[in-house]
Amino acid sequence: MKSGLVVLSLAAALLVACERRPAPPPAAVGTPAQTVERPSAIRWDQAGGVFEAGGVPLRTARLWTFDGSTDGFTGAGSQVTPADPQGLAVSLSDPTLRSPRGLQAPGGQFPLVLVRLTRLGQGRAWDGALYYATTTHGEGAGWLTLPLDNTPPKVGETVTLVYDMSRQRRGAPDWMQAMIEQIRLDLEAGPGARFVVHQVAIAAPPPGLVLPGAPGPIAVQAATPPTPMQPLAADLAGQLAVAAPAGGCNVEEASLAASGEGDGLGLTGWISELGAFNTSPTGFARLQGPGGDFGAEIRVDKARPDVARHFNGGDTLAASGFSQAFTLPPLPPGVYTPWVYRRTPGGWIACKGAQALTSR
């Protein structure tokens, strides 16, 4: 009798153990073997690993191919996992799909966003809107566009969505003047649909490219060559030494990294006199550290409507932005401090970068 109870106890224990086993991981979502790809003026070249138009590969500021990884893309409550054998499997419970932050993509030089995907399951209603955040504003309904061809994809159909951000539907010409920090894609207007996203890119078109649905060639801004920084002259260093702190400014982005045969410095932000007019559109950028004291002119009149709105101001506050790249000689290791100055009737005003930069 006792042995029977022992056997029953062991069986019960084994049953409980089985019930407590962790649930198996979800099976990888695969792309159906038979899909139909909608013809597109921009297509994915599998052999070259690039998007191309008319046989010409497109330059990209960012390209995600999701080879066994989500590449930092996230969904707000949706299931987002690597697909088998390639891609990003998305089961929607919320429409939004976001890229990682910190893209630092110059919008004017890269005005195309490309999204190649396959629909696996029907949803409530197709959306397709693309939102984005920049170094000066977050995502919002005031900055978005739709694909040139926004025909809803059918189940089993692969499409390449092409977004012409040089003619964005709302907020133009914001993308073309901004440094893009993050993109967001709203695939559906509600939950339930399933997709595999194969590739996403922020790209530049070849010269003169005209796409179906666009009224003319895609606009592209030429890249501005970096400005060389020189050792600061003694008389100018004396003037800057007594510069008053700017009443309104922010060095929002500052980066220092090896570039070519020397180092490269990037500065983005704004500086304003907070007055009735701006004295000069040309300011001065400076970098101080153990390797020396360097400086160069910087434009401080880029459009910053967000600054004007914040201070309830007009044109002088709106024309207060800067975003410029500089080259430097090779710097010895150490900590460096960036500065941006603006001239006023009473002399220079100064904006010190809060972020110390390290040269290695």
Side-chain angles (χ1 to χ4, degrees):
M1 182 67 178
K2 190 177 291 185
S3 61
L5 290 174
V6 171
V7 171
L8 288 173
S9 298
L10 287 172
L14 286 171
L15 181 60
V16 170
C18 289
E19 290 175 349
R20 291 180 179 173
R21 284 179 185 170
V29 176
T31 305
Q34 297 297 323
T35 61
V36 176
E37 184 139 4
R38 183 187 301 172
S40 174
I42 295 179
R43 58 178 291 275
W44 176 253
D45 177 7
Q46 186 65 38
V50 294
F51 282 103
E52 59 93 13
V56 179
L58 272 59
R59 293 188 304 114
T60 56
R62 290 289 184 272
L63 172 62
W64 297 277
T65 56
F66 312 110
D67 296 310
S69 169
T70 63
D71 285 350
F73 274 67
T74 57
S78 300
Q79 185 180 26
V80 179
T81 58
D84 182 26
Q86 176 277 333
L88 186 71
V90 181
S91 297
L92 289 180
S93 60
D94 181 278
T96 57
L97 179 67
R98 289 182 175 89
S99 77
R101 288 194 62 83
L103 303 183
Q104 286 290 290
Q109 298 169 44
F110 296 90
L112 289 179
V113 177
L114 310 171
V115 181
R116 182 170 174 263
L117 57 79
T118 301
R119 181 190 280 278
L120 299 185
Q122 192 64 45
R124 293 187 179 180
W126 172 254
D127 188 332
L130 181 81
Y131 300 81
Y132 63 94
T134 73
T135 52
T136 63
H137 67 74
E139 64 185 42
W143 301 283
L144 66 86
T145 201
L146 296 172
L148 292 175
D149 178 3
N150 200 30
T151 306
K154 300 175 183 177
V155 174
E157 184 181 28
T158 300
V159 299
T160 297
L161 307 175
V162 179
Y163 298 85
D164 176 7
M165 302 307 295
S166 71
R167 301 182 183 93
Q168 65 188 86
R169 177 163 293 201
R170 294 184 194 166
D174 180 73
W175 177 284
M176 299 297 288
Q177 299 175 346
M179 190 69 73
I180 309 305
E181 283 288 285
Q182 187 179 40
I183 58 174
R184 163 189 148 192
L185 180 66
D186 281 19
L187 294 171
E188 291 276 341
R194 293 185 299 114
F195 298 88
V196 169
V197 180
H198 301 287
Q199 296 90 20
V200 177
I202 301 175
L209 176 67
V210 179
L211 295 172
I218 308 297
V220 182
Q221 294 177 0
T224 303
T227 303
M229 273 193 165
Q230 305 293 340
L232 213 61
D235 59 340
L236 182 55
Q239 295 177 40
L240 298 180
V242 295
C249 75
N250 187 13
V251 180
E252 296 163 332
E253 298 283 344
S255 60
L256 183 62
S259 176
E261 297 180 356
D263 284 88
L265 172 68
L267 296 173
T268 298
W270 65 277
I271 181 169
S272 175
E273 300 172 53
L274 298 181
F277 63 92
N278 291 324
T279 305
S280 172
T282 304
F284 201 78
R286 185 180 190 182
L287 187 70
Q288 290 179 301
D293 193 355
F294 301 90
E297 291 185 346
I298 185 172
R299 296 286 299 193
V300 289
D301 63 345
K302 290 187 178 296
R304 288 299 299 261
D306 59 312
V307 174
R309 285 193 299 269
H310 178 78
F311 287 96
N312 196 26
D315 293 341
T316 58
L317 282 163
S320 60
F322 56 84
S323 182
Q324 199 161 319
F326 303 89
T327 57
L328 292 138
L331 297 174
V335 176
Y336 291 78
T337 302
W339 296 79
V340 175
Y341 300 83
R342 183 164 201 153
R343 196 187 300 276
T344 74
W348 291 99
I349 56 174
C351 190
K352 182 181 180 180
Q355 176 186 359
L357 305 177
T358 303
S359 174
R360 304 184 185 280

